[in-house]
Amino acid sequence: MPPNGKIEYEWIKIKIFLNDADLQTFLRNDNHRNVSKNGRQTLRCCECEPATLHNMVVSYRSCRSLKYQTVVGELCPFRYKIQRCESKNVNHVYETVNRHLDRDITLVDKPYGLCSIIKEEIKRCYSQRTRKLMDICITLASNHVNNGCYEGLTMPSTIQVSQLVRKIKNSDDENEFDRVVSYQVNYTIRMQRFFLDVDSVMALIFLISK
């Protein structure tokens, strides 16, 4: 390991995806479960011609497969690196030269959580006042069957949809509470100023009337 404690990976480009849906399908259907790691970085794009300067978003995903039975302090060395051009919305996918260290290939990973594309669609429905669980599920099913929006992705259960809607609703309730508190504080300040002004006017009238 280098002196700074960071592992230097060697990368190989393996895929180019022209839209986010295909990228999500690829990641979800990988037979080794992978999870997002270390957030995202915004850098100058190095995938396109340098004629125009624009940004790319770099993100990483780590292997968390059950096939690799981890012990304390030991993780599978396999990684994905995704470089997304902000100008063309193209995703360049790299993988490490280090391969998976499978210890039990009979184990099968089960994807967990909602795909980000489906999450965003549920949030869009909610923001447009489509908030009943059944209506949201019908919208997702219609997008999938009629438009093929989620081809290759695992459709969410009603429980998963319900949990996300509840989470969004709770966030809205907290924001509403903050708005009410803010309004009350501002109202109190305005009323205090009003009465101070009234007191000043009354004092002036009293002096003039003497």
Side-chain angles (χ1 to χ4, degrees), residues 19-184:
N19 58 69
D20 292 338
D22 289 345
L23 171 64
Q24 291 287 338
T25 300
F26 168 76
L27 294 174
R28 298 279 292 190
N29 291 342
D30 188 351
N31 60 8
H32 290 80
R33 184 172 63 197
N34 55 85
V35 298
S36 178
K37 176 179 173 60
N38 293 342
R40 294 147 58 92
Q41 297 174 292
T42 301
L43 305 171
R44 288 292 183 189
C45 184
C46 61
E47 296 289 354
C48 303
E49 294 296 327
T52 58
L53 294 177
H54 56 275
N55 291 332
M56 67 179 183
V57 176
V58 183
S59 58
Y60 299 87
R61 300 188 70 87
S62 300
C63 174
R64 289 295 182 270
S65 175
L66 295 176
K67 298 178 180 66
Y68 182 78
Q69 296 295 308
T70 60
V71 296
V72 176
E74 188 177 2
L75 297 172
C76 178
F78 185 84
R79 301 284 188 276
Y80 285 121
K81 178 172 69 173
I82 302 163
Q83 297 186 170
R84 184 177 188 274
C85 171
E86 293 284 83
S87 175
K88 299 180 180 178
N89 295 329
V90 175
N91 295 285
H92 301 260
V93 180
Y94 294 77
E95 67 180 18
T96 55
V97 173
N98 306 76
R99 308 312 301 163
H100 292 286
L101 299 179
D102 293 339
R103 295 177 177 173
D104 189 348
I105 60 174
T106 63
L107 296 174
V108 178
D109 290 330
K110 293 182 180 180
Y112 59 93
L114 289 175
C115 171
S116 60
I117 292 175
I118 294 177
K119 274 186 181 179
E120 290 305 315
E121 180 63 19
I122 294 172
K123 291 177 181 178
R124 186 191 67 79
C125 288
Y126 191 88
S127 68
Q128 295 181 357
R129 300 292 174 178
T130 304
R131 298 185 174 180
K132 291 183 178 179
L133 176 61
M134 188 54 64
D135 291 341
I136 293 176
C137 289
I138 290 172
T139 300
L140 294 175
S142 176
N143 289 344
H144 180 56
V145 174
N146 299 329
N147 304 323
C149 293
Y150 317 124
E151 192 68 35
L153 298 178
T154 303
M155 293 301 291
S157 66
T158 54
I159 294 176
Q160 288 177 308
V161 176
S162 175
Q163 289 174 339
L164 180 57
V165 169
R166 191 180 302 115
K167 183 177 180 181
I168 297 171
K169 181 179 183 299
N170 290 340
S171 177
D172 271 2
D173 290 343
E174 290 173 4
N175 292 337
E176 182 63 26
F177 177 77
D178 291 340
R179 285 192 290 269
V180 171
V181 171
S182 178
Y183 173 82
Q184 189 64 42

